[in-house]
Amino acid sequence: MKEREKRVLVGMSGGIDSSAACIMLQEQGYEVVGVTMRTWDVASHFTPGNDQPNEVIEAQQLAARLGIEHHVADVRTEFRQVIVQYFIDEYMRGRTPNPCVMCNPLFKERILCEWADRCNCAWIATGHYCQLKDINGYRYILTGDDPLKDQSYFLWKLPQEILKRMMFPLGGMTKASVRDYLASKGFEAKARGGESMEICFIEKDYREFLKEHCPDIDERIGPGWFVDSKGLKLGQHKGFAYYTIGQRKGLEIALGKPAYVLKINPAKNTVMLGDADQLKTQYMLVEDYNVASLDELLSCKDLAVRIRYRSRSIPCQVILLENGQLLVRFQQEASAITPGQSAVFYEGNRVLGGGFIAFQQAIKKIGAENEAKFPK
């Protein structure tokens, strides 16, 4: 191999998975270069006396022990401008953001590519639990072998030009086997390490985060009305940004029975409440999608969709509407369709693509009008 083909840039978080990926790739004969992104400083991640967060220091220590080149990319300003601002803006639009989905293509993998070029690396690698497969000129993401750790859901937005440079060394392993592997290589303490936070910049409740980083949120939104499905006022709420579809706890309203958030209307600052059955639907609108082959998605006979990270895949069919949105028909009812979250389409263990769940206004009417267009 040419020198560049031997070199792989690994995104090192200092944690279990990226550490194991470095060691595996080194054993496979690659010249590993590590880069750790300093994206957001969380106070609990600092040891007194250190001016860098623990994850950076741990990555540096691992790199030194393995004898690999290591860099720190201080991208805090850009992360705040791109990912954190997206997070805030989505809640201000009445949607529930998916920051990890946005972070991968817009931020982390893009920066990895830039650093890979700078360090003369042909490849980039991460510790994600997923796999890759080339079919008909496209590179597809496959689910990881560990169903409890599979992270394919978060990567649907990655473009082909990045996927064709990527490696996922852990995709065929379980988390337990990765821990065992690390321990067997002499990294017992690392192997016993804990898991990272689901959203890296949120330590407590997202509502506190919104108030801290958008101090005028209550002036811009203010209290509004809880309403029922007929529009009747049920009581006041604190502002639509503090609620999400399907939410039951923390509503601070007594209706004599369990109530769930059904819809959020940011234009009117209303939050519709109802019972669990009213969350169910047979249709869903998806926008801003990224698919390798739209024709394959529309004609797939064994298509399924996941609407949340931890949810099961739901068998479905998809058609393309004239306005460019995808209309999804579930073969069994789905619940709590949440605008702003990701809908990720699978054929078996292969990701065909994904998109963002759109606002679902008039979804029953749209479904009925287009029902005849679905394949029989």
Side-chain angles (χ1 to χ4, degrees):
M1 291 191 290
K2 295 179 181 178
E3 181 186 355
R4 179 178 167 84
E5 291 294 315
K6 290 181 180 179
R7 289 170 63 85
V8 55
L9 185 84
V10 179
M12 294 179 66
S13 66
I16 296 167
D17 301 327
S18 62
S19 299
C22 286
I23 299 169
M24 285 180 192
L25 290 167
Q26 201 173 45
E27 286 188 333
Q28 291 169 18
Y30 287 97
E31 187 176 348
V32 175
V33 179
V35 64
T36 302
M37 294 178 212
R38 187 172 176 180
T39 56
W40 189 263
D41 287 348
V42 178
S44 62
H45 287 201
F46 283 79
T47 299
N50 290 336
D51 61 357
Q52 296 209 80
N54 297 336
E55 51 265 31
V56 170
I57 293 171
E58 288 182 24
Q60 289 173 329
Q61 291 171 343
L62 179 76
R65 186 168 166 184
L66 295 177
I68 65 176
E69 181 184 334
H70 181 265
H71 305 273
V72 177
D74 189 340
V75 290
R76 287 175 289 178
T77 299
E78 188 180 359
F79 186 83
R80 172 63 178 83
Q81 293 170 344
V82 177
I83 302 304
V84 175
Q85 193 59 49
Y86 150 80
F87 182 85
I88 294 169
D89 290 347
E90 283 289 89
Y91 275 114
M92 298 296 281
R93 293 176 61 198
R95 293 159 58 101
T96 303
N98 232 170
C100 296
V101 166
M102 293 298 286
C103 191
N104 284 299
L106 282 182
F107 206 80
K108 288 185 177 177
E109 269 69 10
R110 176 180 60 79
I111 289 171
L112 284 179
C113 283
E114 292 172 0
W115 274 88
D117 291 340
R118 191 181 305 178
C119 296
N120 196 33
C121 297
W123 309 102
I124 58 176
T126 66
H128 286 99
Y129 285 81
C130 50
Q131 303 175 85
L132 295 165
K133 187 175 183 179
D134 294 327
I135 302 174
N136 297 328
Y138 296 111
R139 176 156 289 185
Y140 289 92
I141 295 169
L142 306 182
T143 57
D145 280 358
D146 187 339
L148 297 177
K149 292 299 297 180
D150 167 50
Q151 293 167 300
S152 60
Y153 175 86
F154 294 114
L155 301 178
W156 63 265
K157 207 166 170 41
L158 287 178
Q160 286 290 306
E161 59 265 28
I162 289 181
L163 285 177
K164 290 183 176 181
R165 296 184 71 175
M166 292 216 67
M167 295 179 177
F168 298 123
L170 310 186
M173 302 177 71
T174 63
K175 183 75 176 197
S177 63
V178 169
R179 289 183 185 274
D180 290 343
Y181 172 80
L182 267 180
S184 73
K185 299 299 175 183
F187 295 86
E188 294 87 353
K190 179 69 68 180
R192 294 191 299 269
E195 298 284 358
S196 58
M197 293 182 292
E198 192 161 313
I199 299 178
C200 65
F201 55 90
I202 303 289
E203 273 199 292
K204 299 176 183 177
D205 188 277
Y206 83 88
R207 297 164 186 86
E208 294 180 25
F209 185 89
L210 289 179
K211 287 183 177 182
E212 180 181 354
H213 295 280
C214 187
D216 62 346
I217 185 171
D218 291 331
E219 296 172 20
R220 291 169 60 183
I221 295 178
W225 290 102
F226 285 123
V227 298
D228 65 14
S229 57
K230 296 178 182 178
L232 297 176
K233 294 178 180 178
L234 301 173
Q236 276 203 321
H237 63 67
K238 295 179 179 180
F240 67 80
Y242 299 132
Y243 305 91
T244 188
I245 304 299
Q247 180 180 338
R248 181 173 68 87
K249 296 181 179 180
L251 299 179
E252 299 180 1
I253 185 171
L255 298 178
K257 60 179 181 179
Y260 298 81
V261 174
L262 304 181
K263 292 181 181 178
I264 295 170
N265 187 329
K268 296 181 178 180
N269 193 10
T270 58
V271 175
M272 184 185 295
L273 302 181
D275 59 36
D277 283 343
Q278 290 176 281
L279 282 169
K280 296 177 181 177
T281 181
Q282 194 168 358
Y283 300 98
M284 171 178 68
L285 292 170
V286 174
E287 61 191 4
D288 297 334
Y289 52 85
N290 174 51
V291 297
S293 170
L294 183 59
D295 289 341
E296 182 181 26
L297 178 74
L298 298 176
S299 62
C300 182
K301 298 186 185 307
D302 297 307
L303 190 64
V305 64
R306 282 165 63 183
I307 58 174
R308 283 177 286 278
Y309 171 41
R310 294 295 186 187
S311 71
R312 59 182 175 80
S313 297
I314 306 170
C316 68
Q317 292 177 307
V318 176
I319 60 172
L320 180 63
L321 300 179
E322 290 182 1
N323 66 0
Q325 290 182 324
L326 299 175
L327 177 62
V328 179
R329 183 180 69 177
F330 302 108
Q331 291 186 17
Q332 58 213 48
E333 285 187 321
S335 181
I337 305 300
T338 307
Q341 289 288 289
S342 290
V344 184
F345 299 100
Y346 293 81
E347 181 189 41
N349 70 337
R350 180 167 62 114
V351 176
L352 298 187
F356 288 109
I357 297 173
F359 283 115
Q360 304 293 304
Q361 277 89 347
I363 186 64
K364 288 183 179 179
K365 181 173 181 287
I366 294 169
E369 291 173 348
N370 290 278
E371 174 61 32
K373 298 177 184 177
F374 285 96
K376 301 300 181 184

